Amino acid sequence: DNGNNFYIDDINIYPASMTNIEETNGINGISVYPNPLSDEMNIQFNTVEVGDYVVTLTDAIGKQVDVVFSGHLEEGTNLINYDAAHLPIGVYFLNVSHDGDKQTIKVIKK
């Protein structure tokens, strides 16, 4: 009535077999504050490589709303101020892209 015991051992997990783990080459530690935001947001992230970066804002269905920044950045911490007063209330996604690498963070406009 209590069923049978089932034992599993000799399990090996290798980095190549793990899913949803991506190493980023150019972008680390994206933060947006305040979040939720009302009229303005500050976007801070670290760049590991010198190069061209693009920061875009998309809505909840993936449609691009705005290009926040597009240009050359040096290695280090970067801060971008963005006026979001024109955005309707809702959920957005901030995307930071560099050389095929992309990181995304959710942003809420109240």
Side-chain angles (χ1 to χ4, degrees):
D1 290 335
N2 291 333
N4 295 324
N5 293 332
F6 184 71
Y7 299 98
I8 299 176
D9 59 354
D10 291 332
I11 297 174
N12 297 310
I13 299 176
Y14 300 99
S17 66
M18 294 181 191
T19 60
N20 294 330
I21 297 176
E22 298 178 17
E23 288 188 31
T24 58
N25 294 325
I27 309 156
N28 286 329
I30 302 172
S31 64
V32 174
Y33 54 92
N35 192 8
L37 62 105
S38 53
D39 291 333
E40 185 177 301
M41 72 173 153
N42 298 300
I43 305 154
Q44 184 173 344
F45 59 95
N46 296 318
T47 54
V48 180
E49 298 174 352
V50 175
D52 294 327
Y53 289 79
V54 178
V55 181
T56 58
L57 196 63
T58 58
D59 62 13
I61 59 171
K63 180 181 172 190
Q64 183 172 308
V65 175
D66 203 356
V67 176
V68 176
F69 174 83
S70 179
H72 188 80
L73 292 174
E74 298 295 323
E75 183 179 335
T77 302
N78 298 279
L79 178 65
I80 299 169
N81 297 317
Y82 178 72
D83 182 12
H86 66 283
L87 295 175
I89 294 171
V91 175
Y92 297 90
F93 295 95
L94 184 79
N95 307 294
V96 180
S97 303
H98 165 68
D99 198 26
D101 184 27
K102 178 179 171 184
Q103 287 197 11
T104 303
I105 188 169
K106 183 168 78 171
V107 177
I108 300 171
K109 167 81 186 278
K110 62 178 181 175

